[in-house]
Structures are given as C-alpha cells and as structure tokens.
Amino acid sequence: MTGSAPDLAVEGPEANEDGPTAGADTTAVEDTTSSNGSHGSDERRLADLEQEGEIAADYIEGLLDIVDMDGDLDLDVEGGRAVVAVVGDGLDKLIGPGGETLEALQELTRLAVLQKTGVRSRLMLDVGGHRARRRIELRKVATNAAERVVDTGEPQKLAAMTPFERKVVHDVIATIDGVRSESEGEEPTRRVVVLPD
Amino acid sequence: MLEAALEHLVRGIVDYPDDVRVDLSSNRRGRTLEVRVHPDDLGKVIGRRGRTARALRTVMGGVGGRGLRIDVVDVDR
C-alpha cells in the first residue's frame, strides 16, 4: 500500500481554506492502488458533496441577507457528508432554544439541496458553533451515564435529544467497554438509553 | 422583511418558485404570513405529517419572534 492521497473524501477540517471551488488538480486519477478500487467514485462523491455545500450556502446566505444578519459561511466535507457552518456572533435567533431553529433550518436546507440536485442530502448545518459546544457537553453526559451504568448495573435513560445529539452520545458509548446504547421513544422525545453490556 | 425571508425559504424548496406569494397581515391577534404556492407544490411546503410547514414556522419564529402565524393557503379548491 502506498501512502498517496489515502482518503480524499475525509479531509481534515483545517484543509478547506479555499472552499470547494479550489479543485486545481481535477485531472482524474484512476491509477490509485488496487486496495481501493472505488477511488474514482469517491472523487465524484466528493464533488457532489461540495456542490451540496454550495447550494446550501446560497440558500442560507440569501436568508442572512434578507434578515440582515452577519455570518460567514464555512464549507467542508466530513465523514461523507457536506458540512456548512455559519460563523459569527449574534446568530442566536438561528439557533433557538435547544437548537430547534438550527435543526429546522437544516431540514429546510436539505430540502433546498434535494430540490436542486434530486438527491436526498445528509448535510450538516452548524450555526454560531452550537453543535461544537453541544458535542463537548454531550460527551460529558455520555461518559457520566456510562459510569453510572457500570457502577450500578442499571440502565440510564438520558434526556430527549435531536438525532444529531443522539448520534454523538451513541458514538461515545460505543468507545466505552461494558456499556451499549439504544434509542427509544418517538420524535421529538426520542432518547438514548445506556445499558450494561 | 419577514415576507421576503419566508418567500426565500419557500422558493428554494419548490418546483415553481415564481408562483410563491407571501402576504403579511396584522390584526389584534397578531401577525400572520399567508403563503400561496403552485397547487403541485402544496405537498412540498407542508411535508410529510406537516414536517416542512413546522420547520418553516420554527425558522420564521426564530427570525420574526413569537406570535408570528404562518398559514399555508390552499388555493386549489
């Protein structure tokens, strides 16, 4: 296995300074190692995800202009999905209580992408660093719950969470020995349960 | 401003953006944004089990504050 361009689809978050249009070397590289035969389609997939981000950015920028809010848009592709972050201060109105406005805006933005591309989008939207902050809090919540489960042997039901939040918790629990997690209930009160494993 | 914001949000998710119309009305009970779209787009604006309409209300509630009603007007009758 050679070490050349091991994973184009998952660039580090710091690697997107130039945004999605910066594909200077767009020459198709089909001679990648045989250990990864799907590389050609990976590249197309990356281009599709970058296009998703651009459509989403247009949609959100249009809204910001109309409501006279300032925010810069950062585009990225992470873990096989487009990530669009609105960065700036004074964006609380677009986050809402418990992030509900952010979730709603993400849903509309995904629909706007679907409308333009015909493909359902798993795009992730962040506003004002909300998801990044929430991720840190949720890691604590998950770790604490896991400790209680290990100590007591009893399942722990967590508070109702959005799909994004549950995913963060499931991912943390999956890394801890002796516990596993499930989701139960219906949206919007669906919650994670941490169980002994 | 609120009309333009909702119009933008709706136009981005429908097949007939030019047919989107939003009117703001106010009375003692508060402000209402009335949305009219092409009949073929009604389902898109409402969404499965009202999901999309709810998302539009939530975002517009965030932008426009409490007490802002949003009616999707069914013109196809």
Side-chain angles (χ1 to χ4, degrees), chain A:
Chain A
M1 268 186 279
T2 66
S4 62
D7 201 346
L8 282 171
V10 195
E11 289 183 25
E14 70 285 344
N16 73 327
E17 284 297 348
D18 299 311
T21 49
D25 51 338
T26 47
T27 44
V29 184
E30 288 292 0
D31 61 337
T32 43
T33 54
S34 54
S35 64
N36 194 346
S38 62
H39 226 106
S41 67
D42 279 1
E43 277 178 34
R44 190 168 52 194
R45 181 82 187 121
L46 178 60
D48 288 347
L49 291 173
E50 287 173 345
Q51 191 206 3
E52 281 191 18
E54 286 179 57
I55 295 166
D58 283 348
Y59 187 65
I60 291 161
E61 252 162 8
L63 177 67
L64 293 175
D65 280 351
I66 293 167
V67 301
D68 204 18
M69 290 174 92
D70 285 327
D72 291 325
L73 279 104
D74 276 359
L75 305 186
D76 204 349
V77 172
E78 252 175 55
R81 57 168 102 180
V83 179
V84 177
V86 188
V87 182
D89 295 323
L91 296 165
D92 291 355
K93 286 179 177 178
L94 292 183
I95 299 170
E100 68 167 19
T101 309
L102 166 59
E103 295 295 339
L105 185 57
Q106 173 176 281
E107 189 166 336
L108 295 176
T109 304
R110 286 176 171 181
L111 291 173
V113 172
L114 170 66
Q115 183 65 33
K116 283 261 174 11
T117 64
V119 179
R120 222 165 267 286
S121 169
R122 294 172 60 239
L123 169 144
M124 167 124 60
L125 176 67
D126 196 4
V127 175
H130 174 78
R131 289 198 197 277
R133 279 195 304 277
R134 218 31 211 135
R135 232 179 242 124
I136 293 168
E137 292 167 9
L138 288 166
R139 284 197 189 114
K140 272 190 214 135
V141 168
T143 319
N144 291 344
E147 277 171 15
R148 281 198 302 276
V149 171
V150 170
D151 287 350
T152 65
E154 296 289 321
Q156 295 285 324
K157 284 189 188 188
L158 304 184
M161 291 176 188
T162 64
F164 155 74
E165 294 173 324
R166 294 197 304 270
K167 168 114 172 50
V168 174
V169 173
H170 286 306
D171 287 350
V172 172
I173 295 299
T175 66
I176 303 176
D177 284 341
V179 290
R180 64 189 176 86
S181 58
E182 292 173 354
S183 293
E184 66 171 36
E186 298 294 322
E187 304 283 8
T189 57
R190 196 162 164 79
R191 62 187 64 219
V192 176
V193 185
V194 184
L195 305 136
D197 191 26

